[in-house]
Amino acid sequence: GAGVSQTPSNKVTEKGKYVELRCDPISGHTALYWYRQSLGQGPEFLIYFQGTGAADDSGLPNDRFFAVRPEGSVSTLKIQRTERGDSAVYLCASSLMGPGTEAFFGQGTRLTVV
Amino acid sequence: QQQVKQSPQSLIVQKGGISIINCAYENTAFDYFPWYQQFPGKGPALLIAIRPDVSEKKEGRFTISFNKSAKQFSLHIMDSQPGDSATYFCAASSGNTGKLIFGQGTTLQVKP
């Protein structure tokens, strides 16, 4: 596709359940980022991949959150034992070369934990 | 020290007017300052970006002014149009992670 694709666009889950959010970056982009955006706030950094490795995971709030990018393309954000406070829009972005280059964002996955 | 403070929180401008949004930062290691535009239900889209070696950058109706000594930068939207109504975020990043630190956002409404 032409842009960053995120699936699903909406996800409603029950408290305590496990969820996976998927990101398909722009083809050829080596850098991939996950952000979380709460209502009325700016996006908040979660994790940055350069290729297959997590170069910076300092934004992951706790050990319930985990992300992988096994082949250096598609990434999955995994949240265990979801809590109501995890409800937010999860945004994925990719960039061609990484730091200081334009990051293209997907439309996000709206996660609602009930 | 990682914060980027953005103001105002909301802004109403008449069509044809100038919209001005301001941001301030503390971390002198920041070396990339983009502005993003976000419409409801969409992801942020890059509008314009600047590096600290220049004081101003203009692209069409959008201009970034950068004051390194004051650690401030601003977005000016000239001849504002109703289609510019959106939420605008400033951001900053440094070093080799590219991790963007976003401001809190400004909701702009341009009245016809």
Side-chain angles (χ1 to χ4, degrees), chain A residues 28-90:
Chain A
H29 280 196
T30 61
L32 184 145
Y33 304 84
W34 283 99
Y35 289 82
R36 177 168 70 174
Q37 187 173 26
S38 300
L39 193 63
Q41 302 294 317
E44 180 184 24
F45 170 81
L46 295 176
I47 187 169
Y48 156 53
F49 287 92
Q50 185 61 253
T52 60
D56 184 350
D57 64 358
S58 62
L60 294 178
N62 52 59
D63 61 6
R64 295 186 298 106
F65 289 75
F66 189 71
V68 296
R69 195 185 184 199
E71 297 178 356
S73 179
V74 170
S75 176
T76 304
L77 178 66
K78 308 180 181 193
I79 310 175
Q80 298 178 322
R81 303 184 305 279
T82 51
E83 300 177 356
R84 293 197 178 87
D86 299 335
S87 296
V89 175
Y90 289 82

Side-chain angles (χ1 to χ4, degrees), chain B residues 23-53:
Chain B
C23 283
Y25 64 96
E26 289 295 322
N27 187 351
T28 55
F30 286 149
D31 58 8
Y32 176 66
F33 301 88
W35 284 90
Y36 281 84
Q37 179 189 56
Q38 186 175 31
F39 293 103
K42 303 293 185 182
L46 181 68
L47 207 53
I48 187 173
I50 199 168
R51 296 187 186 277
D53 52 347

Side-chain angles (χ1 to χ4, degrees), chain A residues 33 35 37 40-45 48 56 58 91 98-108, chain B residues 32 36 38 41-46 51 89 93-105:
Chain A
Y33 304 84
Y35 289 82
Q37 187 173 26
Q41 302 294 317
E44 180 184 24
F45 170 81
Y48 156 53
D56 184 350
S58 62
L91 294 164
T101 59
E102 180 176 357
F104 295 84
F105 281 81
Q107 83 284 2
Chain B
Y32 176 66
Y36 281 84
Q38 186 175 31
K42 303 293 185 182
L46 181 68
R51 296 187 186 277
F89 293 96
S93 69
S94 67
N96 60 3
T97 75
K99 172 174 73 176
L100 289 168
I101 307 298
F102 282 84
Q104 299 90 332

